[in-house]
Amino acid sequence: MEFSARVVTVSDRSFRGERADEGGPAVAAMLSDAGYAVDKIVLVPDEVAQIEQALREAARDDVALCVTTGGTGFAPRDVTPEATAAVCEKLAPGIPEAMRAASMRVTPRAMLSRAQAGILERTLIVNLPGSPKGAKENLAAVLDTLAHGLEMLRGEGAADCAKLP
């Protein structure tokens, strides 16, 4: 089953044109390779209101999966998790927990991630780190399982999560 997806890159420098967005295209390519129909990559600055607006727009457009990259660390302007939590109706803490656990095998700095995941209407939102390498590693940790969650969220799958394919 093909699901729609959107990538939101959160970066002041990329938004201002001072640095190329490498994380967004890397994540979009991974999603496309996994069978997702990526409609676009949206670039926003590290501003809560603009991040929230991009996430709400994805839900309004009925995008199944909205993945953010950037703004999940400790820097003063890293506010993606707060924007995500503010718009989500339900949080999905197991997703970032799984990403952090997998990433801890690569670097102990993974524990510093404040990534969130949650649901807004019929859209699953997942925060990824801003570095292309970190974003790809984190997405790889959960990508295979996200499709089942999206089937449940969108009412297109069996309700028995205990049965594995």
Side-chain angles (χ1 to χ4, degrees):
M1 173 176 307
E2 182 178 84
F3 290 106
S4 59
R6 181 170 299 168
V7 177
V8 177
T9 298
V10 181
S11 169
D12 285 333
R13 286 183 282 174
S14 293
F15 184 76
R16 290 190 304 256
E18 298 169 4
R19 179 179 67 185
D21 174 19
E22 296 177 6
V27 169
M30 274 186 78
L31 290 168
S32 293
D33 290 347
Y36 287 81
V38 179
D39 71 343
K40 62 183 168 179
I41 300 171
V42 177
L43 189 56
V44 298
D46 291 272
E47 296 288 346
V48 171
Q50 288 177 295
I51 299 165
E52 288 180 7
Q53 180 180 351
L55 300 177
R56 286 190 177 105
E57 181 180 298
R60 265 194 315 272
D61 293 344
D62 199 32
V63 172
L65 176 63
C66 181
V67 178
T68 70
T69 177
T72 61
F74 280 23
R77 291 193 49 80
D78 286 343
V79 294
T80 304
E82 287 74 21
T84 300
V87 302
C88 285
E89 298 157 340
K90 298 177 184 178
L91 293 179
I95 295 169
E97 288 169 9
M99 292 188 305
R100 280 187 283 272
S103 193
M104 281 290 294
R105 286 181 244 147
V106 177
T107 176
R109 292 182 179 180
M111 71 177 72
L112 302 177
S113 171
R114 300 181 316 104
Q116 293 277 348
I119 297 165
L120 174 58
E121 298 175 17
R122 292 172 18 110
T123 299
L124 174 61
I125 300 168
V126 178
N127 298 158
L128 299 173
S131 85
K133 181 180 182 295
K136 291 189 296 186
E137 288 171 358
N138 278 256
L139 183 58
V142 298
L143 189 55
D144 289 342
T145 305
L146 292 182
H148 179 69
L150 292 172
E151 288 171 354
M152 299 295 95
L153 176 60
R154 300 179 80 79
E156 299 168 1
D160 190 353
C161 290
K163 291 184 181 178
L164 293 174

